[in-house]
Amino acid sequence: MLQQDSTIENVKYEVLLQVARHAYRGDLEEVKEQLPYEMIPGPQALFRCCIYKEREIIRQRIRMAEGKSPVAGNTNRNTIHVITSACEGCPINRFVVTDNCQKCMSKRCQQACNFGAISMNRERAYIDPQKCKECGKCAQECPYHAIVDLMRPCKRSCPVDAISMDEHNIVVIDEEKCIRCGQCIKNCPFGAIWYRSSMVDVIHEICDGKKVYALLAPAGEGQFGKDISMASIAKGCKELGFADALEVAMGGDLVADAEAKEWEEAYEEGKKMTTSCCPAFVNMIKKHFPELAENMSTTVSPMAAMARWVKSMNQEAITVFIGPCIAKKSEVCNERGQGNADYALTFEELVAMFDAKDITLKPMEEYQQEASIFGKRFANAGGVTKAVLQSFQEHGTETADVKVRECSGAIECKKALMQLKVGRLPEDFIEGMCCEGGCVNGPASVKFAMEARRDREALLNKADKRTITESITPVVTEHNFGMHRPKKEI
């Protein structure tokens, strides 16, 4: 049952918790129709206008937690969907006149409007939403700044203009433009946009006795407290039923080594390149800058590198990436059967699974480490660059003249790609991270960024100084798996 002070985070968590709990029990199909009534017993509404709307929101969220579209019959297989029953509460009119309006004699707002949308009421100016074209000239001209721009947060946050509204003012996501970065999910104040979960499928794989391996994103350190290391999270995953849990930071080391060799060859040829670790950045190139596909690194992501490593040891293994990234879900879907992970979960889903099984993460006596500090810092903006340059040095390659554009956030990524497209990029390489600050600020994190960063640094300060070469030598010596995508897959 939800509490009276429910926030959107609590609603999301409670739905995931209940779905995970019943998936483990094996009775989800039998109870899921009753769950909205148990969670919203009434008669008082908790977070929206009435209990009927709240129950419909919960019902649609349960479907998404099962891995389905929010509305039955919707065949759209996109990772991200709009929960229509939750979207109806957003402001409809973008530009609104506030009490600051002095109804001044100059009427600059009215004169600036080319569509006759502004008239003068008794106390203030009025904007007719049927005539307004949302050009913003009235807001720019008002000397009192009395006209505010109420662009929907989801639309404002989308870096690729993939969001619009239908005739009922419900959000529509353009699949041809969407890069699955998750910024709309992170910024929607009503939680009306969410992702389809793979949690139930993963639980079923575990309960069926399959060998399921958890691949833990480097951003995990700091998400669960300053004393909860990757080893602590791995231990919790094993209690959930995973056969083992491995650090994707090791995949970062493998990628840095492979990408250094690729960059060195490109640098000698005078060819500019981009990284390919961030799936939202990869989606941005494929969808909005397809002519730059040849400039993108063919090195697989750290997630894919770890999945290939695990499957080189056991072809029947099922690999599950766990991190703060929503775009990883699209990478799994796009590259299924191509040597990538089989599923991708978020930290939000992992927390629900822990709580469903009453598992509490506990500190380990000693800090255990599987990867170099460079692989661990792949989750930070600029971390890929530092790791690749470190690999350069370990290979004996001079790096003084190598210039890299480190892009933190989708807007910076777009600017750099545009410069590369028109031949005006001064740097040799682009590191693209669509989340500001890197993966550590992913949209499916479970802790506020500043607090997580503090706890993360406390943990990383315990890491030893092993090199990337020292980290990956046992892996590449004992196992045989490729680190590149075929060109046709890019």
Short mmCIF file of all heavy atoms in Angstrom, two decimals, residues 92-139:
data_model
loop_
_atom_site.label_atom_id
_atom_site.label_comp_id
_atom_site.label_asym_id
_atom_site.label_seq_id
_atom_site.Cartn_x
_atom_site.Cartn_y
_atom_site.Cartn_z
N ILE A 92 -1.12 22.72 -20.37
CA ILE A 92 -1.35 22.63 -21.81
C ILE A 92 -0.79 23.85 -22.53
O ILE A 92 -0.17 23.74 -23.58
CB ILE A 92 -2.86 22.48 -22.09
CG1 ILE A 92 -3.36 21.14 -21.53
CG2 ILE A 92 -3.15 22.56 -23.58
CD1 ILE A 92 -4.85 20.94 -21.64
N ASN A 93 -0.99 25.03 -21.97
CA ASN A 93 -0.54 26.26 -22.64
C ASN A 93 0.91 26.52 -22.31
O ASN A 93 1.30 26.58 -21.14
CB ASN A 93 -1.39 27.45 -22.18
CG ASN A 93 -2.87 27.21 -22.46
OD1 ASN A 93 -3.22 26.48 -23.38
ND2 ASN A 93 -3.72 27.84 -21.67
N ARG A 94 1.72 26.72 -23.34
CA ARG A 94 3.14 26.90 -23.11
C ARG A 94 3.46 28.28 -22.55
O ARG A 94 4.17 28.40 -21.55
CB ARG A 94 3.92 26.67 -24.41
CG ARG A 94 5.40 26.91 -24.25
CD ARG A 94 6.20 26.51 -25.46
NE ARG A 94 7.57 26.95 -25.33
CZ ARG A 94 8.50 26.78 -26.27
NH1 ARG A 94 8.20 26.18 -27.40
NH2 ARG A 94 9.73 27.23 -26.08
N PHE A 95 2.95 29.35 -23.18
CA PHE A 95 3.25 30.71 -22.71
C PHE A 95 2.06 31.24 -21.90
O PHE A 95 0.92 31.23 -22.37
CB PHE A 95 3.57 31.63 -23.89
CG PHE A 95 4.90 31.32 -24.53
CD1 PHE A 95 4.97 30.50 -25.64
CD2 PHE A 95 6.07 31.82 -23.98
CE1 PHE A 95 6.19 30.19 -26.21
CE2 PHE A 95 7.30 31.52 -24.56
CZ PHE A 95 7.36 30.70 -25.66
N VAL A 96 2.35 31.69 -20.68
CA VAL A 96 1.31 32.12 -19.75
C VAL A 96 1.65 33.50 -19.20
O VAL A 96 2.81 33.77 -18.85
CB VAL A 96 1.17 31.11 -18.59
CG1 VAL A 96 0.14 31.60 -17.58
CG2 VAL A 96 0.78 29.74 -19.12
N VAL A 97 0.64 34.35 -19.11
CA VAL A 97 0.81 35.69 -18.55
C VAL A 97 0.63 35.61 -17.03
O VAL A 97 -0.38 35.11 -16.54
CB VAL A 97 -0.20 36.68 -19.15
CG1 VAL A 97 0.01 38.08 -18.56
CG2 VAL A 97 -0.08 36.72 -20.67
N THR A 98 1.60 36.13 -16.28
CA THR A 98 1.56 36.08 -14.82
C THR A 98 1.04 37.39 -14.23
O THR A 98 0.74 38.35 -14.96
CB THR A 98 2.96 35.81 -14.25
OG1 THR A 98 3.79 36.97 -14.49
CG2 THR A 98 3.59 34.60 -14.93
N ASP A 99 0.97 37.46 -12.90
CA ASP A 99 0.50 38.67 -12.20
C ASP A 99 1.46 39.84 -12.37
O ASP A 99 1.11 40.97 -12.02
CB ASP A 99 0.33 38.38 -10.71
CG ASP A 99 -0.87 37.48 -10.44
OD1 ASP A 99 -1.74 37.40 -11.32
OD2 ASP A 99 -0.91 36.85 -9.36
N ASN A 100 2.66 39.59 -12.88
CA ASN A 100 3.60 40.69 -13.10
C ASN A 100 3.17 41.61 -14.24
O ASN A 100 3.73 42.69 -14.42
CB ASN A 100 5.00 40.15 -13.42
CG ASN A 100 5.67 39.58 -12.19
OD1 ASN A 100 5.28 39.89 -11.07
ND2 ASN A 100 6.68 38.74 -12.39
N CYS A 101 2.20 41.19 -15.02
CA CYS A 101 1.74 42.00 -16.14
C CYS A 101 1.15 43.32 -15.62
O CYS A 101 0.27 43.32 -14.76
CB CYS A 101 0.69 41.25 -16.96
SG CYS A 101 0.00 42.21 -18.34
N GLN A 102 1.64 44.43 -16.15
CA GLN A 102 1.18 45.76 -15.74
C GLN A 102 0.17 46.35 -16.72
O GLN A 102 -0.26 47.49 -16.56
CB GLN A 102 2.39 46.70 -15.62
CG GLN A 102 3.45 46.21 -14.65
CD GLN A 102 2.95 46.10 -13.24
OE1 GLN A 102 2.35 47.04 -12.71
NE2 GLN A 102 3.13 44.94 -12.62
N LYS A 103 -0.16 45.55 -17.76
CA LYS A 103 -1.06 46.05 -18.81
C LYS A 103 -0.57 47.42 -19.30
O LYS A 103 -1.32 48.41 -19.36
CB LYS A 103 -2.49 46.13 -18.29
CG LYS A 103 -3.53 46.18 -19.40
CD LYS A 103 -4.94 46.22 -18.86
CE LYS A 103 -5.95 46.32 -19.99
NZ LYS A 103 -7.34 46.45 -19.48
N CYS A 104 0.71 47.46 -19.62
CA CYS A 104 1.37 48.72 -19.98
C CYS A 104 0.84 49.28 -21.30
O CYS A 104 0.29 48.55 -22.13
CB CYS A 104 2.88 48.54 -20.04
SG CYS A 104 3.42 47.32 -21.24
N MET A 105 1.04 50.56 -21.51
CA MET A 105 0.50 51.24 -22.68
C MET A 105 1.25 50.90 -23.96
O MET A 105 0.70 50.98 -25.05
CB MET A 105 0.53 52.76 -22.45
CG MET A 105 -0.38 53.20 -21.31
SD MET A 105 -0.25 54.97 -20.95
CE MET A 105 -0.88 55.66 -22.47
N SER A 106 2.51 50.47 -23.84
CA SER A 106 3.28 50.17 -25.05
C SER A 106 2.79 48.89 -25.74
O SER A 106 2.93 48.74 -26.95
CB SER A 106 4.77 50.03 -24.72
OG SER A 106 4.98 48.90 -23.88
N LYS A 107 2.24 47.99 -24.94
CA LYS A 107 1.71 46.73 -25.49
C LYS A 107 2.71 46.02 -26.41
O LYS A 107 2.38 45.57 -27.52
CB LYS A 107 0.39 46.96 -26.23
CG LYS A 107 -0.73 47.50 -25.34
CD LYS A 107 -2.01 47.69 -26.14
CE LYS A 107 -3.18 48.09 -25.23
NZ LYS A 107 -2.93 49.34 -24.46
N ARG A 108 3.94 45.93 -25.96
CA ARG A 108 4.99 45.31 -26.78
C ARG A 108 4.69 43.84 -27.08
O ARG A 108 5.00 43.35 -28.15
CB ARG A 108 6.34 45.44 -26.07
CG ARG A 108 6.86 46.86 -25.99
CD ARG A 108 8.23 46.89 -25.35
NE ARG A 108 8.68 48.25 -25.14
CZ ARG A 108 9.83 48.57 -24.52
NH1 ARG A 108 10.60 47.60 -24.04
NH2 ARG A 108 10.16 49.83 -24.37
N CYS A 109 4.12 43.14 -26.11
CA CYS A 109 3.80 41.73 -26.33
C CYS A 109 2.80 41.58 -27.48
O CYS A 109 2.96 40.72 -28.36
CB CYS A 109 3.25 41.09 -25.07
SG CYS A 109 1.75 41.89 -24.42
N GLN A 110 1.79 42.45 -27.46
CA GLN A 110 0.75 42.38 -28.50
C GLN A 110 1.31 42.75 -29.86
O GLN A 110 0.99 42.12 -30.88
CB GLN A 110 -0.40 43.32 -28.12
CG GLN A 110 -1.68 43.10 -28.91
CD GLN A 110 -2.81 43.94 -28.38
OE1 GLN A 110 -2.61 45.09 -27.96
NE2 GLN A 110 -4.02 43.38 -28.37
N GLN A 111 2.17 43.75 -29.90
CA GLN A 111 2.77 44.17 -31.16
C GLN A 111 3.73 43.12 -31.71
O GLN A 111 3.88 42.98 -32.93
CB GLN A 111 3.51 45.50 -30.97
CG GLN A 111 2.60 46.67 -30.62
CD GLN A 111 3.38 47.95 -30.42
OE1 GLN A 111 4.34 48.21 -31.14
NE2 GLN A 111 2.97 48.76 -29.45
N ALA A 112 4.38 42.36 -30.81
CA ALA A 112 5.36 41.36 -31.26
C ALA A 112 4.69 40.12 -31.84
O ALA A 112 5.31 39.37 -32.62
CB ALA A 112 6.26 40.96 -30.10
N CYS A 113 3.43 39.88 -31.48
CA CYS A 113 2.75 38.66 -31.93
C CYS A 113 2.25 38.83 -33.37
O CYS A 113 1.48 39.74 -33.68
CB CYS A 113 1.57 38.35 -31.01
SG CYS A 113 0.69 36.84 -31.49
N ASN A 114 2.69 37.93 -34.24
CA ASN A 114 2.31 37.97 -35.65
C ASN A 114 1.05 37.16 -35.94
O ASN A 114 0.64 37.03 -37.10
CB ASN A 114 3.45 37.43 -36.52
CG ASN A 114 4.68 38.31 -36.48
OD1 ASN A 114 4.57 39.54 -36.43
ND2 ASN A 114 5.85 37.69 -36.47
N PHE A 115 0.44 36.60 -34.89
CA PHE A 115 -0.69 35.70 -35.11
C PHE A 115 -1.97 36.17 -34.43
O PHE A 115 -2.96 35.45 -34.41
CB PHE A 115 -0.33 34.29 -34.59
CG PHE A 115 0.99 33.80 -35.13
CD1 PHE A 115 2.13 33.83 -34.34
CD2 PHE A 115 1.08 33.33 -36.43
CE1 PHE A 115 3.34 33.40 -34.83
CE2 PHE A 115 2.30 32.89 -36.94
CZ PHE A 115 3.43 32.92 -36.14
N GLY A 116 -1.95 37.39 -33.88
CA GLY A 116 -3.14 37.95 -33.26
C GLY A 116 -3.62 37.16 -32.05
O GLY A 116 -4.82 37.10 -31.76
N ALA A 117 -2.65 36.54 -31.34
CA ALA A 117 -3.02 35.67 -30.23
C ALA A 117 -3.17 36.41 -28.91
O ALA A 117 -3.67 35.85 -27.93
CB ALA A 117 -1.99 34.55 -30.06
N ILE A 118 -2.75 37.69 -28.86
CA ILE A 118 -2.73 38.42 -27.59
C ILE A 118 -3.77 39.54 -27.59
O ILE A 118 -3.82 40.37 -28.50
CB ILE A 118 -1.34 39.00 -27.30
CG1 ILE A 118 -0.32 37.85 -27.20
CG2 ILE A 118 -1.33 39.83 -26.02
CD1 ILE A 118 1.09 38.30 -26.91
N SER A 119 -4.58 39.54 -26.56
CA SER A 119 -5.56 40.61 -26.35
C SER A 119 -5.41 41.14 -24.94
O SER A 119 -4.68 40.56 -24.12
CB SER A 119 -6.99 40.07 -26.57
OG SER A 119 -7.25 39.00 -25.67
N MET A 120 -6.07 42.26 -24.65
CA MET A 120 -5.96 42.86 -23.33
C MET A 120 -7.26 42.67 -22.56
O MET A 120 -8.32 43.16 -22.97
CB MET A 120 -5.63 44.36 -23.46
CG MET A 120 -4.25 44.61 -24.02
SD MET A 120 -2.95 43.99 -22.92
CE MET A 120 -1.56 43.93 -24.06
N ASN A 121 -7.18 41.93 -21.48
CA ASN A 121 -8.33 41.77 -20.60
C ASN A 121 -8.39 42.93 -19.62
O ASN A 121 -7.60 43.89 -19.68
CB ASN A 121 -8.26 40.44 -19.86
CG ASN A 121 -8.62 39.28 -20.77
OD1 ASN A 121 -9.09 39.49 -21.90
ND2 ASN A 121 -8.41 38.07 -20.30
N ARG A 122 -9.26 42.82 -18.66
CA ARG A 122 -9.44 43.92 -17.71
C ARG A 122 -8.21 44.17 -16.86
O ARG A 122 -7.85 45.31 -16.58
CB ARG A 122 -10.65 43.60 -16.81
CG ARG A 122 -11.01 44.70 -15.85
CD ARG A 122 -12.32 44.38 -15.16
NE ARG A 122 -12.71 45.45 -14.27
CZ ARG A 122 -13.85 45.48 -13.59
NH1 ARG A 122 -14.71 44.47 -13.73
NH2 ARG A 122 -14.15 46.49 -12.80
N GLU A 123 -7.50 43.06 -16.46
CA GLU A 123 -6.38 43.22 -15.54
C GLU A 123 -5.03 42.90 -16.16
O GLU A 123 -4.01 43.37 -15.66
CB GLU A 123 -6.60 42.33 -14.31
CG GLU A 123 -7.83 42.72 -13.50
CD GLU A 123 -8.02 41.82 -12.30
OE1 GLU A 123 -7.30 40.80 -12.20
OE2 GLU A 123 -8.89 42.13 -11.46
N ARG A 124 -5.01 42.10 -17.22
CA ARG A 124 -3.73 41.70 -17.79
C ARG A 124 -3.92 41.26 -19.23
O ARG A 124 -5.05 41.10 -19.70
CB ARG A 124 -3.12 40.54 -16.98
CG ARG A 124 -3.91 39.25 -17.09
CD ARG A 124 -3.24 38.12 -16.35
NE ARG A 124 -3.39 38.25 -14.91
CZ ARG A 124 -3.14 37.26 -14.06
NH1 ARG A 124 -2.68 36.10 -14.50
NH2 ARG A 124 -3.30 37.42 -12.77
N ALA A 125 -2.79 41.02 -19.88
CA ALA A 125 -2.84 40.49 -21.24
C ALA A 125 -3.30 39.04 -21.20
O ALA A 125 -3.15 38.34 -20.19
CB ALA A 125 -1.47 40.60 -21.88
N TYR A 126 -3.86 38.59 -22.32
CA TYR A 126 -4.34 37.21 -22.42
C TYR A 126 -3.82 36.60 -23.72
O TYR A 126 -3.86 37.24 -24.78
CB TYR A 126 -5.86 37.16 -22.40
CG TYR A 126 -6.42 35.80 -22.76
CD1 TYR A 126 -6.35 34.74 -21.86
CD2 TYR A 126 -7.00 35.57 -24.01
CE1 TYR A 126 -6.84 33.48 -22.20
CE2 TYR A 126 -7.51 34.32 -24.35
CZ TYR A 126 -7.43 33.27 -23.45
OH TYR A 126 -7.90 32.04 -23.79
N ILE A 127 -3.31 35.35 -23.63
CA ILE A 127 -2.80 34.65 -24.81
C ILE A 127 -3.79 33.56 -25.18
O ILE A 127 -4.05 32.65 -24.38
CB ILE A 127 -1.41 34.03 -24.53
CG1 ILE A 127 -0.42 35.13 -24.14
CG2 ILE A 127 -0.91 33.28 -25.76
CD1 ILE A 127 0.95 34.59 -23.72
N ASP A 128 -4.34 33.65 -26.38
CA ASP A 128 -5.30 32.66 -26.86
C ASP A 128 -4.53 31.41 -27.32
O ASP A 128 -3.80 31.45 -28.31
CB ASP A 128 -6.08 33.23 -28.04
CG ASP A 128 -7.21 32.30 -28.51
OD1 ASP A 128 -7.16 31.10 -28.16
OD2 ASP A 128 -8.10 32.77 -29.22
N PRO A 129 -4.67 30.29 -26.60
CA PRO A 129 -3.90 29.08 -26.95
C PRO A 129 -4.25 28.53 -28.33
O PRO A 129 -3.45 27.81 -28.93
CB PRO A 129 -4.27 28.09 -25.84
CG PRO A 129 -5.58 28.57 -25.31
CD PRO A 129 -5.56 30.06 -25.44
N GLN A 130 -5.44 28.85 -28.84
CA GLN A 130 -5.82 28.36 -30.16
C GLN A 130 -5.08 29.10 -31.28
O GLN A 130 -4.90 28.56 -32.38
CB GLN A 130 -7.34 28.54 -30.36
CG GLN A 130 -8.19 27.82 -29.34
CD GLN A 130 -7.93 26.31 -29.32
OE1 GLN A 130 -7.79 25.69 -30.36
NE2 GLN A 130 -7.85 25.76 -28.11
N LYS A 131 -4.65 30.31 -31.01
CA LYS A 131 -3.94 31.10 -32.01
C LYS A 131 -2.43 31.11 -31.80
O LYS A 131 -1.66 31.33 -32.74
CB LYS A 131 -4.45 32.54 -31.99
CG LYS A 131 -5.91 32.70 -32.39
CD LYS A 131 -6.32 34.16 -32.35
CE LYS A 131 -7.79 34.33 -32.75
NZ LYS A 131 -8.18 35.79 -32.69
N CYS A 132 -2.00 30.88 -30.57
CA CYS A 132 -0.57 30.95 -30.25
C CYS A 132 0.23 29.88 -30.98
O CYS A 132 -0.14 28.70 -30.99
CB CYS A 132 -0.37 30.80 -28.74
SG CYS A 132 1.36 30.83 -28.22
N LYS A 133 1.33 30.28 -31.61
CA LYS A 133 2.22 29.36 -32.34
C LYS A 133 3.50 29.06 -31.56
O LYS A 133 4.43 28.46 -32.09
CB LYS A 133 2.59 29.95 -33.70
CG LYS A 133 1.39 30.29 -34.58
CD LYS A 133 0.51 29.08 -34.85
CE LYS A 133 -0.68 29.45 -35.74
NZ LYS A 133 -1.59 28.31 -35.96
N GLU A 134 3.54 29.54 -30.31
CA GLU A 134 4.66 29.27 -29.40
C GLU A 134 6.00 29.76 -29.95
O GLU A 134 7.02 29.12 -29.77
CB GLU A 134 4.74 27.77 -29.08
CG GLU A 134 3.50 27.24 -28.40
CD GLU A 134 3.62 25.79 -27.95
OE1 GLU A 134 4.63 25.14 -28.31
OE2 GLU A 134 2.72 25.30 -27.24
N CYS A 135 5.97 30.91 -30.61
CA CYS A 135 7.23 31.47 -31.13
C CYS A 135 8.07 32.12 -30.04
O CYS A 135 9.29 32.25 -30.17
CB CYS A 135 6.94 32.47 -32.25
SG CYS A 135 6.10 33.98 -31.68
N GLY A 136 7.41 32.58 -28.95
CA GLY A 136 8.15 33.15 -27.83
C GLY A 136 8.47 34.63 -27.93
O GLY A 136 9.09 35.19 -27.03
N LYS A 137 8.04 35.29 -29.01
CA LYS A 137 8.39 36.70 -29.18
C LYS A 137 7.75 37.58 -28.10
O LYS A 137 8.34 38.58 -27.67
CB LYS A 137 7.97 37.17 -30.56
CG LYS A 137 8.81 36.60 -31.69
CD LYS A 137 8.39 37.16 -33.04
CE LYS A 137 9.26 36.60 -34.15
NZ LYS A 137 8.86 37.12 -35.49
N CYS A 138 6.54 37.23 -27.66
CA CYS A 138 5.88 38.04 -26.63
C CYS A 138 6.68 38.02 -25.33
O CYS A 138 6.85 39.05 -24.67
CB CYS A 138 4.46 37.53 -26.39
SG CYS A 138 4.38 35.79 -25.91
N ALA A 139 7.18 36.84 -24.96
CA ALA A 139 7.97 36.72 -23.73
C ALA A 139 9.28 37.51 -23.84
O ALA A 139 9.73 38.11 -22.86
CB ALA A 139 8.27 35.26 -23.43
#
